[in-house]
Amino acid sequence: MSQHPQNKMGTMPVGKLLISMSLPAMFSMLIQALYNVVDSIYVAQIGEDALTAVSLAFPVQNFLIAVSVGTCIGLNSLISRRLGERREHEASLAATHGVLIALVEWVGFLIFGLFFCRIFFQAFTDNPTVIQMGIDYTSIVTIFSFGCFVEITLEKTLQATGNMIYPMLFQLTGAITNIILDPIFIFGWFGLPAMGVKGAAIATVGGQILSMFFAIYIIVRKEHAVQIHFKGFRFSGQIVKDIFAVGFPSIIMQSISSVMIMVLNNILIVFSQAAVAVLGVYFKLQSFIFMPVFGLGHGSMPIMGYNFGARNKKRLVHTLKLSSTISLCIMIVGLLIFQFGAKYLLMMFNASEEMMEIGVSALRTISLCFPAAALGISFSNFFQAIGEGKNSLLISVLRQLFILLPAAWLISRIGTLNQVWLAFPIAEVFALIVSILLLKLTYKSKIHDMEYLAAEEE
């Protein structure tokens, strides 16, 4: 078999390969997490109304990212499998389709930004200041989201070929631009007018569009294992179907958190507005722990997808075990930080006395779910990598909609606010049990006889 540069996913020692592919993604996602926190800290300086507006906008932004990243997980899985099967032309066709899908998805959010922002915010609050700030912020981040959609598509395309450095640089470009522009536009530095939450939104889309141009330049000017060509392009319904076979469950999976946050906000507002603020702060802070684990997943999925396509059972299983172990270690460190440093974490957000009282207990309780979540995420990545996205979807729906929300609602009726946070670890442990059962079934049906079948074909 002739060796191509992109075949490192089938030849390089798994440990070295996983680290080399994951570290850039983990680093760039940590920067992304830092941006999320810094953004909220800046917005908190404007006032509580601004923080509330941006918190209410969070599910919309979350859904936008879910659609983009979810689709691209399907694209990534398809490209890496086709490369593993030595079907390079089909991998390139998939990448070209991915860009067109991204533009179609952007048009959906453009329409939302133009016509539906006010309706959305009026459903949650009757505070006119919060509604207007929410509209200002959300309309900008949705109408100009083409930068986000195109950049993520090109990023995931390169990751599928085993190239993790450029995707890291794309993300860094966007996040660092955001961090620099935030205070300039929010507070009106260097003679600019102070734009408040509108400035935060402009900084966000500015970073996304700049990183999109950088990504387009790299795709066009450099040589890659896949090529994006529109000359002589012919639309293929089958390729779109193959992308969404993994992508659609992934979109639903990642969108569920938007629904979960909206419902949790409604449950918590009964206790106090500070409880809603605490939940918003938790989601910003937990990204520091979860983002490196997701970055590890971005490194492990192409390796698992490639070796599943190449029918190399040993490397496939080795990657799963190693990524699960590293994820678990990261989450245990996160658990310790939240247990012993909750008070200091909350102080970064100018937490009021009430928010501090609720928040310390909340962060300590919710973080008990971290170790189970580490394994759940690793198994979910495995299912997506081998084209079994429906298993990941099932686990995610179970955890967030059928266990966490009913548990939170029930506890809110019969218990205290501090006990409501227990819904998180309860849901995570139950979901882990289900994912272990699905992993055993999938291994038996798709992995167990893999090397035997590969030998037969030869």
Side-chain angles (χ1 to χ4, degrees):
M1 189 187 294
S2 63
Q3 294 299 319
H4 301 292
Q6 69 267 29
N7 287 352
K8 67 177 183 179
M9 290 191 284
T11 55
M12 190 187 283
V14 170
K16 186 180 173 186
L17 179 64
L18 181 62
I19 296 302
S20 71
M21 287 186 63
S22 300
L23 275 181
M26 291 166 81
F27 177 65
S28 59
M29 293 192 90
L30 266 176
I31 297 293
Q32 204 69 37
L34 176 66
Y35 157 69
N36 285 334
V37 171
V38 170
D39 192 47
S40 291
I41 290 170
Y42 282 138
V43 170
Q45 308 304 314
I46 304 168
E48 196 176 307
D49 283 347
L51 193 57
T52 304
V54 173
S55 296
L56 288 173
F58 182 66
V60 177
Q61 278 184 290
N62 206 46
F63 182 56
L64 191 153
I65 298 294
V67 171
S68 180
V69 172
T71 304
C72 292
I73 283 172
L75 179 66
N76 180 299
S77 175
L78 181 61
I79 292 171
S80 58
R81 278 181 282 136
R82 292 294 175 264
L83 290 174
E85 294 158 357
R86 298 286 184 269
R87 292 154 71 180
E88 283 87 358
H89 178 65
E90 286 181 38
S92 292
L93 273 178
T96 307
H97 277 77
V99 174
L100 294 176
I101 292 167
L103 292 172
V104 171
E105 290 173 339
W106 162 62
V107 171
F109 284 92
L110 170 69
I111 291 165
F112 177 88
L114 290 171
F115 304 111
F116 297 102
C117 282
R118 183 170 296 277
I119 297 166
F120 177 81
F121 283 95
Q122 284 175 339
F124 289 93
T125 179
D126 53 7
N127 181 327
T129 309
V130 171
I131 291 170
Q132 192 52 53
M133 283 180 163
I135 292 166
D136 289 345
Y137 183 84
T138 309
S139 60
I140 291 169
V141 297
T142 49
I143 290 167
F144 297 97
S145 60
F146 59 86
C148 175
F149 278 101
V150 175
E151 185 278 321
I152 289 173
T153 303
L154 301 181
E155 178 190 310
K156 292 283 178 281
T157 297
L158 289 184
Q159 283 178 348
T161 70
N163 185 332
M164 305 303 282
I165 300 298
Y166 281 128
M168 176 190 77
L169 295 175
F170 302 159
Q171 283 204 12
L172 281 177
T173 301
I176 291 169
T177 303
N178 268 331
I179 291 168
I180 293 168
L181 294 182
D182 250 336
I184 295 171
F185 290 146
I186 291 171
F187 306 122
W189 291 3
F190 308 117
L192 289 171
M195 291 183 272
V197 290
K198 202 179 276 189
I202 293 169
T204 297
V205 298
Q208 291 168 351
I209 292 167
L210 186 64
S211 60
M212 176 194 75
F213 282 127
F214 179 29
I216 290 170
Y217 173 81
I218 294 300
I219 285 284
V220 171
R221 303 291 296 181
K222 306 285 182 183
E223 281 293 315
H224 308 287
V226 295
Q227 304 298 323
I228 296 173
H229 290 305
F230 293 101
K231 195 177 177 183
F233 172 79
R234 288 180 67 184
F235 177 79
S236 165
Q238 186 57 50
I239 289 176
V240 173
K241 190 178 168 188
D242 289 342
I243 289 170
F244 281 106
V246 173
F248 186 70
S250 188
I251 290 171
I252 301 297
M253 234 168 71
Q254 299 197 46
S255 304
I256 288 166
S257 59
S258 292
V259 177
M260 178 194 75
I261 293 163
M262 285 191 284
V263 176
L264 278 176
N265 282 342
N266 281 336
I267 291 170
L268 294 171
I269 201 92
V270 174
F271 291 99
S272 80
Q273 194 173 317
V276 175
V278 165
L279 185 70
V281 166
Y282 162 73
F283 277 110
K284 298 291 183 181
L285 290 170
Q286 61 107 40
S287 63
F288 268 110
I289 315 301
F290 279 75
M291 285 295 193
V293 175
F294 292 142
L296 186 70
H298 289 179
S300 67
M301 274 178 56
I303 302 170
M304 291 190 288
Y306 184 97
N307 286 289
F308 180 74
R311 298 197 164 192
N312 192 327
K313 174 181 161 185
K314 188 179 175 184
R315 288 176 67 83
L316 175 64
V317 174
H318 188 177
T319 307
L320 174 62
K321 286 181 178 175
L322 192 57
S323 60
S324 300
T325 305
I326 297 170
S327 295
L328 191 58
C329 292
I330 293 169
M331 287 295 206
I332 288 169
V333 171
L335 172 65
L336 294 173
I337 291 169
F338 272 60
Q339 291 300 315
F340 297 106
K343 182 182 172 185
Y344 304 102
L345 293 172
L346 288 162
M347 280 163 64
M348 293 194 299
F349 295 86
N350 292 339
S352 63
E353 202 175 310
E354 184 192 4
M355 198 172 150
M356 189 67 81
E357 194 182 325
I358 295 168
V360 170
S361 171
L363 295 186
R364 286 176 180 165
T365 305
I366 298 173
S367 62
L368 294 172
C369 78
F370 287 1
L375 298 176
I377 292 165
S378 300
F379 297 160
S380 184
N381 291 333
F382 171 78
F383 292 135
Q384 289 171 340
I386 66 168
E388 291 290 320
K390 62 182 184 294
N391 286 348
S392 299
L393 172 61
L394 175 64
I395 295 160
S396 200
V397 170
L398 266 177
R399 178 176 62 242
Q400 296 183 79
L401 296 189
F402 291 106
I403 307 166
L404 196 151
L405 291 180
W409 179 81
L410 191 63
I411 297 168
S412 75
R413 296 285 165 167
I414 60 173
T416 65
L417 172 59
N418 284 346
Q419 290 168 335
V420 170
W421 311 115
L422 285 167
F424 283 86
I426 290 168
E428 208 63 66
V429 170
F430 189 94
L432 178 61
I433 293 166
V434 175
S435 62
I436 290 169
L437 293 172
L438 285 172
L439 185 68
K440 285 185 172 180
L441 288 170
T442 307
Y443 183 86
K444 193 175 178 183
S445 64
K446 297 195 80 169
I447 314 296
H448 186 263
D449 296 326
M450 188 184 280
E451 284 179 342
Y452 170 72
L453 290 168
E456 260 191 357
E457 283 176 3
E458 284 170 14

